[in-house]
Amino acid sequence: MRLGVLTACLPGLTLPEVASAAARLGYQGLEVAAWPRTPGREWEASHLDVGTLDDAGAAEVLELMDRHGLQVSAVAYYENNLHADAATRSRTHEHLRRCIDAAALLGCPNVGTFVGRDVTLSMVDNVRLAEDVLPALVKYADERQVRLVVENCPMEGWHPDGYPANLAYSPELWDWMAGLGLYLNFDPSHLVWLGIDPVAALRGSVDRVAHVQAKDVQVDAVRRNRYGVFGQVLGRTSPWGSPWWRYRMPGLGDVDWRRLVDVLYEAGYDGFVSVEHEDPVWTGTPEKVMGGLAVAERTLRPLLVG
């Protein structure tokens, strides 16, 4: 297994700057953020312009990776592939296809995304919608020898009441996703606050894991007892997050990384473990983000061989 980092935590840096910093901190790969470069959404990281990438551009990226001893573990575009607005959904699918094309040019096996949800429909109707629209995207990826790896984040902020808005948040849905040809980008942090044992969940689905994201979570059980799993209702100002949990760097929360890594090794997983930095304590400036990444590297590096 190798240790990587999702570049989305450093949207203000260029890809060469991120690569240099990651290598200096001891990382071995990058999960490269590839959101569209959209005016007004500069907070979304775009370290790879998939719309213009050609053979020459891919060669430059690969040379940059080689120079720093890195690999591209995945092209990252986590968006709502079931968006309620048909035009927005179409644009999302088109950009996802460009990400798949870019991954193929880079010889990268994975493109990270979400299933998503049409929040105007029931969950059952969303399952039917996904079964209608996602197979074409899976086929497009298969033809280019690329896997679509879906992160199991609930994406509660996409739902006005903070309920799950990504049909990938539970092991039940992972089994269903497998039938559509989708793979799992396993992130244990989300499972902890949903009340799911991440070790047991991983053990039951490890054969579908093609990529791993390393993010921790810190739970305040006293507050959870007051608000419940989906959090505060009265006075809530945002559907994102909850007052009883927060994401942390690996090693600073409640995830048992030793047991998780052991399950991965036992199953023969030999891919990347990619740090996803969403820790509010280690954010605010690039220097603080780098500090958080250093914490994660010190936590995970001793557990990984290779």
Side-chain angles (χ1 to χ4, degrees):
M1 274 186 274
R2 288 148 290 171
L3 186 61
V5 59
L6 173 58
T7 69
C9 60
L10 291 164
L13 272 60
T14 65
L15 183 59
E17 290 170 334
V18 175
S20 176
R24 186 171 64 252
L25 290 169
Y27 287 90
Q28 299 161 292
L30 299 181
E31 183 182 359
V32 181
W35 274 262
R37 291 172 176 163
T38 306
R41 300 185 69 173
E42 287 78 10
W43 53 271
E44 290 178 326
S46 183
H47 292 122
L48 187 66
D49 187 351
V50 299
T52 62
L53 190 71
D54 56 14
D55 288 335
E60 289 181 7
V61 172
L62 293 174
E63 190 277 329
L64 172 68
M65 297 295 109
D66 287 343
R67 192 182 337 135
H68 291 288
L70 301 169
Q71 293 178 261
V72 179
S73 70
V75 175
Y77 176 54
Y78 297 96
E79 271 296 347
N80 189 350
N81 284 294
L82 301 182
H83 199 285
D85 178 70
T88 300
R89 188 192 308 164
S90 178
R91 288 193 298 271
T92 299
H93 291 181
E94 181 60 24
H95 190 77
L96 183 60
R97 284 190 285 268
R98 300 293 76 76
C99 289
I100 294 167
D101 293 339
L105 282 172
L106 294 168
C108 171
N110 303 309
V111 169
T113 191
F114 292 132
V115 173
R117 178 181 179 179
D118 179 343
V119 296
T120 69
L121 301 176
S122 71
M123 292 295 272
V124 171
D125 286 340
N126 268 275
V127 167
R128 298 191 184 105
L129 175 62
E131 290 170 347
D132 183 49
V133 304
L134 294 186
L137 294 169
V138 172
K139 182 174 184 290
Y140 189 89
D142 284 345
E143 290 171 346
R144 289 152 181 81
Q145 297 182 301
V146 172
R147 298 173 297 210
L148 291 179
V149 296
V150 175
E151 184 191 350
N152 53 288
C153 179
M155 293 307 291
E156 69 281 1
W158 285 346
H159 191 287
D161 293 319
Y163 298 145
N166 173 34
L167 271 68
Y169 65 89
S170 71
E172 174 194 18
L173 292 167
W174 303 346
D175 291 341
W176 164 75
M177 282 163 42
L180 296 180
L182 296 165
Y183 290 81
L184 182 60
N185 190 2
F186 179 80
D187 183 333
S189 65
H190 310 297
L191 299 170
V192 173
W193 72 260
L194 286 169
I196 299 170
D197 179 352
V199 175
L202 176 60
R203 187 174 286 118
S205 301
V206 70
D207 60 318
R208 295 300 294 181
V209 174
H211 198 266
V212 174
Q213 285 189 331
K215 185 163 77 264
D216 217 324
V217 65
Q218 188 175 35
V219 168
D220 183 334
V222 173
R223 285 191 169 191
R224 180 183 59 202
N225 289 342
R226 174 167 176 78
Y227 296 116
V229 170
F230 294 110
Q232 183 178 358
V233 174
L234 303 178
R236 188 168 183 164
T237 58
S238 168
W240 290 107
S242 167
W244 67 265
W245 60 265
R246 61 179 179 172
Y247 294 127
R248 300 304 312 271
M249 301 310 302
L252 300 180
D254 299 330
V255 173
D256 189 336
W257 293 101
R258 289 183 179 276
R259 291 181 64 206
L260 280 171
V261 170
D262 185 52
V263 171
L264 291 169
Y265 271 122
E266 185 177 5
Y269 177 78
D270 61 357
F272 271 89
V273 176
S274 177
V275 173
E276 183 183 16
H277 185 340
E278 295 185 357
D279 188 328
V281 176
W282 290 97
T283 193
T285 66
E287 291 74 23
K288 289 193 72 174
V289 171
M290 300 291 186
L293 294 178
V295 170
E297 193 276 338
R298 287 197 295 269
T299 298
L300 297 172
R301 170 66 69 184
L303 305 179
L304 304 181
V305 179

